[in-house]
Amino acid sequence: MSEAIIVTRGVEVTLGGNPVLQGVDLEVAHGEIVAVTGPNGVGKSTLLRCLAGLRTADAGEVAVLGGPPRDEPAFWREVALVADEPAWYPGLTVREHLELMAAVHAGPRMDIGEALESFGLASRADAVPPALSTGQRQRLLLAMTLLRPSRVLLLDEPERGLDAEFRRRLAEILTDYAAEGGTVVMATHDPGLAEAARSRRVALADGRAETTV
Amino acid sequence: MSSAAEIRGFVRSRSRRPRSWTDLYSTGLGLAVVAAMLSQPASALLAAIARQADPSRMGAGVALVMLAGTGFLAAARAIGPVTLPPADAAWLLLSPLDRRAVLRGPSGVLLAISAVAGAVLGVGLLAVLGTPDHTGVRLAAAMLLGVAAATGGMAAAVLAQASQTWNTWAGPAIAVAAALAVAVALLGSGAGRRLLAAAASAPPAAGAVLAAMAAALAGLLVRRARRVLDRIPAGTLLDASVGRGHAAGAAVAVEPGSLTWSAEDAHWRGRTLRSRRWPALPAPMAPAWQDWRRLGRRPGRLAVLFATAALPALIARTGGGVLEGMTAAGVKGASGLAGTPGLLGVSLTVGLMLVGGLAAAAASTSGARRDGDNPALARLLAVGPRRILAARALLPGLLGGAWLVAVLAGLTVTGALPAGPWWLLGAAAAPALAAGALRMARRRPVDHAMPVIDTPMGAMPTGVLVWALTGVDLVVLGCLPLAAALLFQPAALGGFLAAQALSGAAVLSVSVLREGRRRRDPL
């Protein structure tokens, strides 16, 4: 196996007195896609927040790119997170959001037109995010995330609001990202997406992680 | 099919206990207490308006009353004006019930609110113009005129909600009214002074005729508005009612911050924009450019912002024309604020200037506010928080500083302040205004876990107080030299100017340097 980009050892997290993660061990290699699955409330998002440095584990170790994750710009220049939060500025169009991302990050992975086409947003390029549907806003967030360069992608239910056709397209986009050397960890409820992205499935159950496929 | 009244009665019978005599007693007692509380200030006001007014102050005063009326109607249009409680909007609006009957209650409330507001405006107008004789007749005519103007304006706003033609004209009409108020303010101290003085000393019968004509016109408008109630599109009513629901939710949870995003999203949702190329700027300026672009897309807001810069000069003129500092002749020998109405005036003007400057600066901090509330995009951008904060301080500093410069220049030109380069103090205060506005934009939600303290004025929730003062604190601290200069009004401003430049820069620098120590997400 190639070098491990993400390593967790015995990660434990308790939320409101409820033990959510009880010794999660996980290793994700360079260029690998891992799909974390499991029912609601099992701790998928909590695990992703630990990997993103947004939550400190009560016990255990977390290492991303060789060090503990930190909510700092240097970390976010290497790691991109997609979660369920509004990620747009008021008064800017879809195209301007993508241009902003390209202006801030040197060496974007694709040009603006390509991103609009690839994420099915070309016809909505002049729309503002509040005028988009839930699925289109999710496409915009994914487009901004995948436009910028990164080494690790953390995706919390990326299929949220997306139609079946675009989920297949998303699987291709993620596969291409991994083929370029990126590492992906996504929490998902869509086995089809996990399979189409040729990911390694890790099921969370009883606070522990177990590789299933 | 049941009527709207029967449905409302059914809902009321399930949601409230039956009314008893104690409810009537409580309501009656409450009204009596309110009447008793208002009687003293009302009689004092009536005694105060029975005088010959100073013609030099009339223009500014009439302009302020006109601006208040225009602001009232603009606010009514922004709210709806016809809205329903969210539950009624969800259950009754889209039902087969008679739309006019469903809207009867809210429209009645609108009429009552505009009548009260109009009466207050009428009394305000009379207070400005004065009553040389026949106080009772003039007061009645002024109140009738005010009520007619407000109810007529509100009826026009309702018509604008129902008809696209009226809607097209409503915005320009409000803008013309505001421009007219500015013209009255400008001409009132010069060419228009005689006209205003003539209007003030006109026989009471002339005022009564004018009020009667206005009332007749308002009556026609109200009648027409009642007829078109059922033609207001359901979508328009639903949008307005959702906004009202957000406002009510924000008020109940004492969380005003939640209201701003829903208003912001609603504004942009209805706009058609054209993408423009993002300028090639260095990393921290590129995200900060969002606020510049957003502001450029709201020129009306910018125009209103700078129009309000005339208010302090108008208020100063209404209050006497000169801001008397602590060294002014009128203050010598007096002790304390109570004995120095001039000092009270200057203190109020300083407060208004700082709050206004902060509001002007805060008009361009949506990016910082978004990053504070939802840092997802800030994480994707991955720019250092200090660098981005410094870049984001540029626009609010420019806006707040320009607003203060305009205010101080206005006060100097109108003679409210002695001659001197006062406007420079406004420019020097810009960094402090930017620091305060950015601190306000990034404040946490109200902490309801903070203690409630008992004060002579009642219980005070400290969480709300801390929330409200966050941002204002930095502005007050950073603008102390400006406030002191206005209070003491020294012959030479050099020292105060240097101190202001220093304190403004210091407050902003500390604010930016501390940013690196903030955690974006406490979880």
Side-chain angles (χ1 to χ4, degrees):
Chain A
M1 199 179 211
S2 59
E3 66 171 306
I5 297 294
I6 293 172
V7 179
T8 70
R9 296 260 181 265
V11 169
E12 292 179 15
V13 173
T14 300
L15 296 177
N18 176 39
V20 178
L21 302 180
Q22 303 176 65
V24 171
D25 296 322
L26 180 69
E27 220 169 272
V28 186
H30 178 261
E32 189 181 17
I33 301 177
V34 166
V36 181
T37 61
N40 295 132
V42 78
K44 300 185 296 296
S45 299
T46 305
L47 176 62
L48 278 184
R49 289 182 73 81
C50 288
L51 298 181
L54 299 177
R55 170 168 288 284
T56 309
D58 300 330
E61 289 173 22
V62 179
V64 177
L65 296 167
R70 293 182 194 281
D71 182 13
E72 288 174 356
F75 177 77
W76 294 119
R77 278 194 278 277
E78 306 285 346
V79 179
L81 170 73
V82 170
D84 184 18
E85 288 175 292
W88 69 81
Y89 287 131
L92 296 193
T93 66
V94 165
R95 178 186 286 276
E96 287 167 343
H97 275 92
L98 295 176
E99 286 189 358
L100 165 61
M101 203 52 71
V104 172
H105 292 281
R109 294 181 60 249
M110 52 188 112
D111 65 37
I112 308 301
E114 194 184 341
L116 287 169
E117 285 297 331
S118 191
F119 287 85
L121 291 167
S123 63
R124 305 291 285 146
D126 285 339
V128 290
L132 299 177
S133 70
T134 308
Q136 287 171 330
R137 277 201 293 268
Q138 183 73 352
R139 288 179 189 217
L140 171 61
L141 177 54
L142 288 165
M144 286 193 291
T145 308
L146 282 141
L147 176 89
R148 52 155 283 188
S150 62
R151 292 172 65 194
V152 176
L153 272 188
L154 301 173
L155 311 175
D156 193 358
E157 297 185 28
E159 72 275 14
R160 189 181 291 115
L162 300 178
D163 55 64
E165 192 180 330
F166 188 74
R167 287 184 190 198
R168 282 192 289 277
R169 174 82 194 107
L170 176 62
E172 286 171 23
I173 292 169
L174 294 180
T175 312
D176 290 347
Y177 177 83
E180 290 169 17
T183 302
V184 182
V185 177
M186 63 174 167
T188 181
H189 287 291
D190 183 356
L193 173 66
E195 192 178 338
R198 297 198 287 276
S199 63
R200 172 162 62 97
R201 252 62 58 80
V202 171
L204 276 187
D206 301 326
R208 291 175 190 279
E210 189 183 326
T211 297
T212 54
V213 180
Chain B
M1 192 177 71
S2 303
S3 70
E6 284 173 325
I7 300 286
R8 284 188 196 283
F10 173 79
V11 173
R12 207 174 295 127
S13 70
R14 294 293 183 280
S15 59
R16 290 185 197 156
R17 64 183 170 77
R19 286 195 173 183
S20 66
W21 66 270
T22 49
D23 295 323
L24 289 173
Y25 172 75
S26 309
T27 309
L29 185 66
L31 289 174
V33 169
V34 169
M37 284 170 68
L38 291 179
S39 62
Q40 207 272 334
S43 58
L45 182 68
L46 287 179
I49 61 175
R51 61 175 171 76
Q52 191 84 41
D54 178 357
S56 67
R57 302 183 192 179
M58 278 182 194
V62 171
L64 278 180
V65 172
M66 287 175 72
L67 282 177
T70 312
F72 171 71
L73 289 179
R77 258 176 65 71
I79 294 166
V82 180
T83 64
L84 283 165
D88 283 6
W91 295 104
L92 302 186
L93 191 63
L94 302 180
S95 71
L97 290 171
D98 177 25
R99 178 76 55 81
R100 198 177 296 165
V102 171
L103 297 178
R104 191 168 291 143
S107 54
V109 171
L110 273 185
L111 193 66
I113 289 173
S114 43
V116 171
V120 171
L121 286 174
V123 174
L125 184 67
L126 199 66
V128 171
L129 294 176
T131 54
D133 51 22
H134 300 96
T135 304
V137 180
R138 286 180 190 276
L139 179 65
M143 285 178 75
L144 183 61
L145 186 66
V147 170
T151 52
M154 187 63 84
V158 173
L159 284 163
Q161 216 176 352
S163 146
Q164 190 53 45
T165 314
W166 280 83
N167 193 35
T168 310
W169 285 101
I174 287 178
V176 166
L180 212 60
V182 173
V184 168
L186 294 174
L187 296 174
S189 55
R193 187 186 289 192
R194 274 190 204 158
L195 195 67
L196 286 169
S201 56
V209 169
L210 180 69
M213 283 167 64
L217 184 64
L220 285 174
L221 283 170
V222 168
R223 197 174 150 200
R224 192 160 176 186
R226 284 176 77 97
R227 280 190 186 160
V228 301
L229 274 180
D230 56 351
R231 273 187 257 154
I232 302 177
T236 309
L237 282 169
L238 279 174
D239 284 348
S241 303
V242 166
R244 173 178 164 168
H246 283 308
V252 169
V254 201
E255 192 47 84
S258 62
L259 190 59
T260 49
W261 286 129
S262 61
E264 181 89 37
D265 285 352
H267 171 83
W268 294 111
R269 199 176 292 123
R271 297 287 185 287
T272 309
L273 301 178
R274 196 168 168 183
S275 301
R276 277 185 281 158
R277 194 160 193 81
W278 208 260
L281 295 164
M285 265 313 289
W289 186 251
Q290 172 264 331
D291 274 318
W292 293 76
R293 185 152 287 183
R294 173 179 165 274
L295 193 70
R297 285 177 168 158
R298 301 193 78 168
R301 174 179 271 207
L302 203 60
V304 170
L305 190 70
F306 279 93
T308 58
L311 281 177
L314 273 181
I315 293 170
R317 283 213 66 75
T318 312
V322 178
L323 288 173
E324 293 172 0
M326 288 180 77
T327 53
V331 180
K332 280 175 186 167
S335 60
L337 279 177
T340 59
L343 191 56
L344 189 63
V346 79
S347 304
L348 284 173
T349 309
V350 169
L352 185 73
M353 280 167 59
L354 295 188
V355 170
L358 178 61
S364 60
T365 55
S366 73
R369 202 149 50 81
R370 177 64 98 183
D371 286 352
D373 290 349
N374 293 296
L377 193 47
R379 289 190 194 114
L380 275 180
L381 291 168
V383 180
R386 280 180 192 163
R387 295 171 68 211
I388 199 167
L389 189 71
R392 284 205 164 121
L394 206 58
L395 184 57
L398 200 66
L399 279 182
W403 192 88
L404 262 191
V405 164
V407 166
L408 289 166
L411 289 170
T412 314
V413 168
T414 54
L417 281 174
W422 287 91
W423 64 272
L424 281 174
L425 280 165
L433 294 174
L438 287 171
R439 179 166 153 80
M440 196 162 83
R442 293 168 308 133
R443 64 189 161 185
R444 297 275 179 216
V446 176
D447 183 359
H448 295 292
M450 289 183 77
V452 176
I453 50 173
D454 284 321
T455 70
M457 291 180 291
M460 179 77 75
T462 49
V464 177
L465 195 67
V466 167
W467 183 89
L469 292 177
T470 304
V472 178
D473 48 3
L474 274 193
V475 172
V476 170
L477 190 70
C479 293
L480 275 177
L482 166 68
L486 286 165
L487 285 170
F488 293 102
Q489 294 182 10
L493 288 172
F496 285 92
L497 195 56
Q500 181 54 60
L502 205 64
S503 71
V507 162
L508 182 60
S509 304
V510 171
S511 185
V512 169
L513 288 173
R514 279 177 58 87
E515 176 60 15
R517 288 162 52 189
R518 273 168 58 102
R519 272 207 67 169
R520 282 186 180 147
D521 193 329
L523 289 175

